Amino acid sequence: ILDQFHNVTALSLTGIGEPFLNKDLLKMVSYAKSKGMFVSLTNNGTLINERIASGIIDSGLDDLSFSIESADPETYEKIRVGAKFDQVTENIARFMKMKEQSGSRTPDVAMRTVSMSHTVYEIPGLIILAHKLGVNRVMVASLLFPFKDIQDPEFQVTKTVHNQARELAKQLTVKLEWDIGRRGKFIPSSCMIPYHTPYHLLSYLLS
């Protein structure tokens, strides 16, 4: 597919589901890198064993994000059913240690979360967790669609929590990417992703 798009400069191997379920993922990364592309992906951290961690570093992947919904084990496992908090954090810590030992500058690693009504006030805890695991970047996104969760006044992020998170990130030298925008009333806006980011889904049958 990549050979059909000669002007592509960046590739995000992220979509619906866990990317590392694809056994050829790292081959895809290496091929895209051989074409001079910037390659990124987001995963949930459940499958990052030592072998895969080594493969990620060797592949030349530019940017790797770990989706973590909460720094509280009980809340995390309630949201991400089937995943074990301790195992995932252990996987991330091991990966960060292996990257440091390899001397590789890539991939740039981030912890990524989606702010929800029952987890948004735990974001300072995520910053502490990231620092503990050796991750120096935390990305916080909001839901893209006007669900009731967004419209509910209780969901709106207060400046107090936002400022607390900013100050904590500064103290721990963790880069926090979190734009709370204008809160109070959700104003639906058009999504521009289809206009600047081609999105291709590959479906296959697992037997």
Side-chain angles (χ1 to χ4, degrees):
I1 294 175
L2 291 182
D3 293 335
Q4 300 177 39
F5 298 92
H6 305 294
N7 297 321
V8 174
T9 59
L11 176 67
S12 177
L13 293 170
T14 301
I16 301 174
E18 168 55 38
F20 282 101
L21 287 174
N22 187 325
K23 296 181 180 180
D24 293 324
L25 180 65
L26 293 178
K27 293 180 181 179
M28 296 162 66
V29 172
S30 296
Y31 184 75
K33 290 303 300 176
S34 73
K35 297 290 185 179
M37 298 180 184
F38 179 93
V39 186
S40 63
L41 64 85
T42 298
N43 79 111
N44 59 34
T46 59
L47 302 178
I48 308 299
N49 55 31
E50 188 171 342
R51 178 183 61 81
I52 292 179
S54 178
I56 293 172
I57 296 169
D58 293 341
S59 72
L61 181 71
D62 295 289
D63 191 273
L64 177 67
S65 294
F66 292 98
S67 293
I68 303 288
E69 288 75 21
S70 173
D72 175 69
E74 183 177 353
T75 302
Y76 170 83
E77 292 177 6
K78 184 179 296 183
I79 296 173
R80 191 168 288 277
V81 179
K84 299 299 180 183
F85 180 84
D86 290 342
Q87 182 62 61
V88 170
T89 53
E90 179 182 328
N91 290 348
I92 297 174
R94 180 177 58 242
F95 176 83
M96 297 305 298
K97 184 176 181 179
M98 290 178 64
K99 179 192 170 187
E100 181 180 8
Q101 291 175 340
S102 73
S104 176
R105 297 180 60 183
T106 56
D108 188 19
V109 181
M111 189 183 297
R112 182 187 294 267
T113 190
V114 176
S115 59
M116 296 177 282
S117 59
H118 52 295
T119 62
V120 65
Y121 295 104
E122 296 182 24
I123 290 175
L126 284 171
I127 295 172
I128 295 173
L129 177 63
H131 177 71
K132 178 181 177 181
L133 297 178
V135 178
N136 63 6
R137 183 163 59 112
V138 174
M139 304 171 68
V140 183
S142 299
L143 294 173
L144 295 176
F145 303 100
F147 298 135
K148 183 180 183 298
D149 213 20
I150 292 180
Q151 297 174 326
D152 189 338
E154 294 182 2
F155 175 79
Q156 307 309 327
V157 181
T158 66
K159 290 184 178 180
T160 301
V161 176
H162 184 260
N163 291 340
Q164 179 187 1
R166 288 284 182 189
E167 183 60 31
L168 183 59
K170 182 178 180 180
Q171 293 174 8
L172 298 179
T173 62
V174 173
K175 182 180 180 181
L176 177 62
E177 299 178 15
W178 183 18
D179 183 8
I180 61 174
R182 292 186 304 167
R183 297 287 174 168
K185 182 178 181 180
F186 179 79
I187 303 176
S189 60
S190 300
C191 177
M192 299 303 295
I193 291 178
Y195 298 95
H196 64 71
T197 306
Y199 200 97
H200 187 78
L201 289 176
L202 296 178
S203 300
Y204 52 90
L205 179 65
L206 295 177
S207 59

